[in-house]
Amino acid sequence: MPDPPKTDSELQPTADGSLTAHSARFGQSYGSRFGAATQARQVFVEGSGTHLHPAPKVLEVGFGLGQNFRATLAATAGRPLHYLAYEFDPVGAETLRQVAFSDPVAAHPGWQALMEGWPSSVAVPDLKFDLRLEDVTLAALPQGWASAVYLDGFSPDVNPEVWTAAFLGRLAAALQPGGVLVTYSAAGHVRRGLQAAGLEVERRPGPAGKREVLRAARPAT
Ligand SMILES: C[S@@+](CC[C@H](N)C(=O)[O-])C[C@H]1O[C@@H](n2cnc3c(N)ncnc32)[C@H](O)[C@@H]1O
């Protein structure tokens, strides 16, 4: 039997059976070792209400291993999803393929198309996926567009540029009225930055391994 294809990152199992990988560049794992798929679903998809939205428009900071994207695809089946992901250091296609290997949503036509053309944007029925291979802090973000912002950079100590008050303000402006920004960090400076940007910030209980996470909503009017 041939050897499995080599990946450019070392995959790691997490507590819920899903896989993550270690980033040599940032010295951290892409997803929570307490459950990468669970964190994606609870913190990002359900935390933002995307699983209930009739036509979600998601802006993601840090596409990484596509865990949040796959959790969103699974939760929005049958509804139109527009997903705008920023990533300045994309992993290789083989890493993505392997990390999603046992995820049933890997059979989704959108994920299949993404794998065929990675790294590029994809359009299939009910899914418009725009991949921007650039530094999100320098990007021209859409204004008043997103029903949800997933802020999922590495932690503020190693990836500070995506957690500055100025950048949080730009993310807040990307939200449509009533839109929700979610993130796994409940650090005080992140909370204050989101409040200063005019969002209504709420601390919520986190998934295993995380006491609290943040949900920050743009007022509806
Ligand atoms: C914690 S991982 C994201 C995990 C991902 N959301 C998932 O579901 O698998 C953080 C990601 O943010 C990306 N990133 C960090 N800073 C960035 C920046 N300034 N611009 C674009 N991408 C960035 C990293 O390369 C990494 O892939």
Side-chain angles (χ1 to χ4, degrees):
M1 196 195 267
D3 287 341
K6 294 258 185 306
T7 63
D8 56 358
S9 311
E10 198 177 319
L11 300 187
Q12 303 167 334
T14 76
D16 62 8
S18 60
L19 296 173
T20 191
H22 186 258
S23 161
R25 174 172 174 171
F26 287 94
Q28 289 187 351
S29 292
Y30 285 84
S32 167
R33 68 190 169 91
F34 296 97
T38 305
Q39 172 171 288
R41 194 183 67 250
Q42 290 184 4
V43 177
F44 293 98
V45 182
E46 295 173 3
S48 63
T50 296
H51 62 310
L52 302 174
H53 199 288
K57 292 179 176 177
V58 177
L59 186 161
E60 177 167 49
V61 176
F63 180 78
L65 302 177
Q67 188 78 62
N68 295 342
F69 174 57
R70 281 185 279 109
T72 304
L73 274 184
T76 58
R79 280 171 283 141
L81 169 65
H82 192 163
Y83 202 98
L84 170 61
Y86 290 87
E87 177 54 64
F88 69 176
D89 188 16
V91 299
E94 203 44 52
T95 297
L96 276 189
R97 203 167 277 121
Q98 290 199 8
V99 90
F101 182 69
S102 60
D103 186 340
V105 87
H108 189 289
W111 184 261
Q112 296 282 316
L114 188 62
M115 289 299 87
E116 277 160 33
W118 179 257
S120 65
S121 298
V122 160
V124 296
D126 281 343
L127 172 67
K128 190 164 161 30
F129 172 79
D130 288 323
L131 179 61
R132 302 282 160 80
L133 297 172
E134 60 184 310
D135 182 339
V136 66
T137 64
L138 305 176
L141 303 178
Q143 299 288 296
W145 177 83
S147 60
V149 168
Y150 298 171
L151 174 51
D152 196 16
F154 287 110
S155 67
D157 50 328
V158 299
N159 195 189
E161 70 273 16
V162 299
W163 305 96
T164 65
F167 184 61
L168 295 176
R170 295 187 55 221
L171 290 178
L175 286 169
Q176 52 184 247
V180 176
L181 180 151
V182 277
T183 186
Y184 67 86
S185 175
H189 69 94
V190 176
R191 220 168 53 237
R192 289 188 294 277
L194 293 169
Q195 280 164 343
L199 302 186
E200 293 164 352
V201 183
E202 184 193 340
R203 279 185 278 196
R204 304 172 58 242
K210 197 81 206 152
R211 196 163 57 89
E212 289 182 329
V213 297
L214 294 184
R215 179 183 192 278
R218 180 169 168 183
T221 51

